[in-house]
Amino acid sequence: MAEPRVPGGRESELELPCGERVDTHDLHLGMREFECACGETHAVVLDPHPLARFVPEFLTEVLQSTIETSDDYEEFTTVHLMGVVMEEFPDTVVAADTSEDGNVGFSLAWVSDFDSRRLHEIVVELVVELMEHAVSHAEDDDVMAEFEEQMLQFDVAGFVEQYRRERDFDGRNDTAI
Ligand SMILES: [Zn+2]
């Protein structure tokens, strides 16, 4: 039997890059960012968030078909994506493992020093890099040609702007957050 968790105890507190703390019990699946006591807005990502929060279907399909995962997950997920983000930004993204915490609906939480829009741009840039690398090793000329054609028309900032507008358009009923 696990020890009962002390309400408001320190176990669920996550220290942020800015020095403030956030209680993971205050995070929830509908949250993308929050205003911090430090005055900045920090992005929040939780492991149930689909890749579609950041990238459209054609990109998630390329990611899942070209990137082999070496862990328990069967395909590339938000968990892998945030792992890449943390590698690139070790000082500005922190993660909490909440898998033992039955009080929250997620197993992993990430908070970045930058806001949700900046995180989105960073994620898309990293995804493009990842795919360029993966596709170049795929030895599938059709995949490569299709990818290059799609990337030729791809503008990260413009994409993020448009994607966020479209996703926000449906408001609360939009499942991809
Ligand atoms: Zn802060």
Side-chain angles (χ1 to χ4, degrees):
M1 287 288 283
E3 294 273 312
R5 188 173 289 274
V6 180
R10 305 179 70 187
E11 259 179 278
S12 63
E13 280 196 336
L14 176 62
E15 184 166 359
L16 304 178
C18 64
E20 297 290 340
R21 288 170 179 274
V22 66
D23 191 325
T24 51
H25 293 163
D26 293 334
L27 306 178
H28 58 82
L29 294 181
M31 191 183 269
R32 302 180 197 193
E33 61 186 10
F34 65 91
E35 286 180 26
C36 181
C38 74
E40 300 292 326
T41 300
H42 304 313
V44 176
V45 180
L46 303 171
D47 64 299
H49 288 172
L51 287 170
R53 167 175 167 175
F54 301 110
V55 293
E57 289 290 302
F58 85 85
L59 290 182
T60 59
E61 281 168 17
V62 175
L63 281 172
Q64 288 171 345
S65 64
T66 54
I67 298 179
E68 285 188 22
T69 55
S70 55
D71 49 33
D72 294 341
Y73 297 90
E74 283 181 9
E75 57 187 15
F76 193 84
T77 66
T78 297
V79 175
H80 302 100
L81 186 61
M82 290 310 296
V84 175
V85 173
M86 284 198 80
E87 271 179 36
E88 292 291 319
F89 298 90
D91 301 326
T92 43
V93 182
V94 292
D97 181 349
T98 57
S99 56
E100 303 286 306
D101 188 345
N103 295 316
V104 294
F106 49 87
S107 300
L108 287 164
W110 298 265
V111 178
S112 70
D113 203 41
F114 27 77
D115 66 13
S116 176
R117 169 176 296 263
R118 178 70 190 123
L119 176 68
H120 199 161
E121 288 177 358
I122 285 166
V123 162
V124 172
E125 282 165 10
L126 289 174
V127 163
V128 170
E129 278 177 34
L130 270 178
M131 286 193 303
E132 279 170 353
H133 185 76
V135 169
S136 71
H137 287 73
E139 292 179 5
D140 182 330
D141 292 343
D142 290 342
V143 172
M144 190 72 192
E146 188 188 353
F147 179 73
E148 285 186 337
E149 191 186 329
Q150 283 163 335
M151 285 303 107
L152 276 177
Q153 308 153 20
F154 200 72
D155 157 41
V156 172
F159 164 77
V160 169
E161 176 70 32
Q162 186 191 1
Y163 200 66
R164 294 178 71 81
R165 196 165 54 226
E166 287 174 5
R167 283 293 177 184
D168 285 334
F169 199 71
D170 294 330
R172 291 173 180 276
N173 296 324
D174 191 351
T175 53
I177 46 174

